[in-house]
Amino acid sequence: QVQLVESGGGLVQPGGSLRLSCAASGIIGSFNAMAWYRQAPGKQLDLVASITNGGITNYADSVKGRFTISRDNAKNTVYLQMNSLKPEDTAVYVCNFKNLLTMQNYWGQGTQVTVSS
């Protein structure tokens, strides 16, 4: 089992920045990926960005150049630095951990990000 604890959401004005954190604990395994997804009201859950334990990253086109995903493997923590935020970035952001050997997924409870003036 893997437990995920997210932090860092909140209200920010357009053009502002926020940093999300997600700490994983439990049976982590050495071959894994962590990611952030988001779900806006009335919309599906979409991948925002992902990063493997080896540092390979992937971003949704809508956030490229504005968001940066990183991780601290020693702390089993993933970060999402969000810059130049837009109202359309408003969503619940959910942390994901995937064991790449078993393909088991684990999910955090989500943190609200609201971009509004």
Side-chain angles (χ1 to χ4, degrees):
Q1 286 285 349
V2 175
Q3 295 78 42
L4 301 172
V5 178
E6 301 142 325
S7 61
L11 172 65
V12 63
Q13 292 186 342
S17 299
L18 278 177
R19 189 194 195 206
L20 305 182
S21 299
C22 174
S25 61
I27 303 173
I28 301 298
S30 59
F31 191 42
N32 61 73
M34 297 186 76
W36 288 96
Y37 286 73
R38 67 185 181 187
Q39 187 167 29
K43 296 190 176 182
Q44 65 182 22
L45 187 67
D46 290 326
L47 176 68
V48 176
S50 65
I51 184 168
T52 68
N53 59 299
I56 298 171
T57 59
N58 181 47
Y59 294 91
D61 288 342
S62 60
V63 306
K64 284 180 180 177
R66 300 188 299 122
F67 291 11
T68 302
I69 191 168
S70 61
R71 65 186 287 169
D72 184 334
N73 288 333
K75 296 181 179 179
N76 294 317
T77 300
V78 64
Y79 306 96
L80 185 68
Q81 178 66 43
M82 305 185 292
N83 299 329
S84 303
L85 282 160
K86 305 175 181 179
E88 50 264 43
D89 294 317
T90 295
V92 175
Y93 284 69
V94 185
C95 180
N96 169 266
F97 176 97
K98 177 180 282 187
N99 184 313
L100 296 178
L101 292 179
T102 66
M103 301 308 288
Q104 182 73 42
N105 273 296
Y106 300 89
W107 298 91
Q109 292 194 334
T111 184
Q112 178 70 45
V113 171
T114 302
V115 185
S116 175
S117 55

